[in-house]
Structure formats: structure tokens, C-alpha cells
Amino acid sequence: MTVYAIIGGSGLTQLEGLDIRQSLAVDTPYGAPSAEVQIGEYAGKEVLFLARHGHPHRIPPHRVNYRANLWALKQAGAEAILAVNAVGGIHPSMVTGHFCVPHQLIDYTSGREHTCFADNLEQVTHIDFSYPYSEHLRQQLMAALAAEGVGYSGQGVYGCTQGPRLETAAEIARLERDGCDIVGMTGMPEAALARELELDYACLALVVNLAAGKSTAVIGMAGIEQALREGMETVTSTLARVLKR
């Protein structure tokens, strides 16, 4: 039976309903992860949970120790990762409250520690990253969203920017020309590190705002926080459906 881990993003710093049996402070070659790895029962299944930004939510996207996070989950026994991400909507269908299960991504970040294959290698190591997300995990997420009866897109290109600031309207226009449908700050190097560590990985993205230039309104944290609050119940019930399957 596959051991699932959930990485919670903004709005999901703790997994409501997780019956925690153990909290592990995992020592990794890359330092401390964002938080302890919580191990417990959720939806009748054993699951691991890690808050990407810490608990409380305090670590900005460009400071997350992605290598330590993924290493810690692997060491704790995870075999598959369900990553929850809050994103901005670029494509017209990606309105606030919409869900996306992306099938591709483009990395616009810089300066992040992005690989475990950097030092003390016996040989140079490359990974095939043509298709960054696990297709069978994507299918599970889509089936769960369909059962929830919510609006979702089963495909999308995730553009990952550096943060922590939001993008300019010109930057979003560039991302749109590049083919991006949604924009976030935490999709990379997380997905690539999961591939390096041979962990299946898929993303459940919740659109919490229209990206810069896609609305005349000012992008405010109050609106983003409201969208997170309203979407988290569906996020957690969707994750529960995946685990039950």
C-alpha cells in the first residue's frame, strides 16, 4: 500500500482531522525542514503531513528548505506526495476558487538550492523531467475533484516565480505568452526534488486571486486569505477522497 505524504501550503499549515501519532524532527543532510513531519491517521489511512511554510506560517517561498522537506518525507517513509499550492489565475478559466491539477510547469526561480545531485558525487546525475507530475496521482486528484462536484481543470501549466512579491502585469503577460495558466511561488524545486528522490508527486492548486493585470482590482491579502478559507474545506475533502481510494 502506497504511503502518502501531504505538503500543505498557504492556508494548510495543519491538517484538520489528522489523528497525530508521532511528530518527527528529522535530521537531514540539508538542515532542518520547515516543520516536524507529522505521522498519523487521516481518512482511515496512515499519512504524513508537512507544513511547507512552517507552523505557524512564517517561511517565505524563497526561503523554504525544499531539499530538507523532501528528504525528511522520504526518510519518514513517504512514497507519494500530494502537494497543495495556492496560485494566481492567468488563463480566463482560472478564476478565484477554481482548482487546477497541472500537467506541466515552467521554472522562473533563481538562487534556490534545487538539487540533491550537487556535491560529493561518484558521477554526474541527471533526471528525466519531461513530465514533472505523476500521471496516476493526477488522475486520482481529478477523480476526487469530480466527486466533490467543484470546478476544476485537469490540465494546466504552472509558472513558478521567485517571490515573495507578487508579479507585475508585464511579467504575467510574459508568462501567458509562454503558455502558463497559473502562477505560484512554491512549485519548484519541490517537484524536481521529488523526482530525484523517486517520489511520485502531483499538485492540487487552488486559485486564490486573479494574476496581475487580469483584473482592475488591487490584489490584497484579505481577498487571498478569504479565498484560502473558503477553499480549504474542499482541499481537505479532496485529499481524503484520494486516500480512501
Side-chain angles (χ1 to χ4, degrees):
M1 182 180 296
T2 301
V3 178
Y4 287 88
I6 295 168
I7 298 179
S10 297
L12 192 65
T13 56
Q14 55 185 341
L15 185 59
E16 194 70 32
L18 175 64
D19 182 11
I20 302 171
R21 297 199 306 268
Q22 189 177 10
S23 291
L24 294 178
V26 182
D27 184 28
T28 85
Y30 310 107
S34 298
E36 292 184 341
V37 176
Q38 296 180 339
I39 303 174
E41 185 175 303
Y42 184 70
K45 304 290 184 181
E46 181 178 87
V47 68
L48 285 63
F49 179 79
L50 178 66
R52 183 187 290 118
H53 299 280
H55 181 58
H57 185 279
R58 69 189 190 283
I59 306 171
H62 67 299
R63 294 295 193 189
V64 171
N65 191 339
Y66 296 96
R67 294 193 299 179
N69 285 355
L70 272 295
W71 188 277
L73 290 172
K74 175 82 171 184
Q75 289 299 106
E79 298 171 310
I81 307 289
L82 299 170
V84 179
N85 300 76
V87 299
I90 298 176
H91 189 276
S93 65
M94 303 294 174
V95 297
T96 300
H98 191 74
F99 286 89
C100 181
V101 183
H103 72 294
Q104 275 293 342
L105 62 79
I106 302 177
D107 187 7
Y108 298 93
T109 66
S110 62
R112 299 185 181 190
E113 295 290 352
H114 64 280
T115 180
C116 296
F117 299 136
D119 302 305
N120 303 316
L121 301 178
E122 294 183 4
Q123 63 182 24
V124 175
T125 304
H126 304 282
I127 58 166
D128 179 5
F129 203 52
S130 303
Y131 303 97
Y133 301 109
S134 166
E135 186 59 29
H136 76 89
L137 282 185
R138 288 193 348 96
Q139 293 296 330
Q140 290 178 42
L141 284 169
M142 285 186 278
L145 287 166
E148 286 292 308
V150 298
Y152 77 94
S153 297
Q155 286 197 332
V157 178
Y158 182 133
C160 187
T161 58
Q162 179 70 354
R165 66 169 178 83
L166 297 176
E167 301 74 29
T168 68
E171 287 169 333
I172 292 299
R174 174 199 173 194
L175 267 63
E176 187 170 27
R177 289 193 298 271
D178 286 350
C180 297
D181 300 298
I182 54 177
V183 59
M185 301 175 188
T186 55
M188 283 291 285
E190 194 172 90
L193 291 165
R195 181 64 53 85
E196 288 186 352
L197 294 173
E198 299 181 338
L199 294 165
D200 284 343
Y201 180 94
C203 166
L204 175 60
L206 169 64
V207 179
V208 296
N209 64 279
L210 297 181
K214 295 300 176 181
S215 168
T216 57
V218 175
I219 302 174
M221 287 308 301
I224 290 173
E225 289 168 359
Q226 179 179 347
L228 285 168
R229 287 193 299 271
E230 293 174 352
M232 277 306 118
E233 182 177 349
T234 300
V235 166
T236 54
S237 59
T238 298
L239 295 172
R241 285 184 184 274
V242 171
L243 294 170
K244 287 176 181 177
R245 288 171 64 90

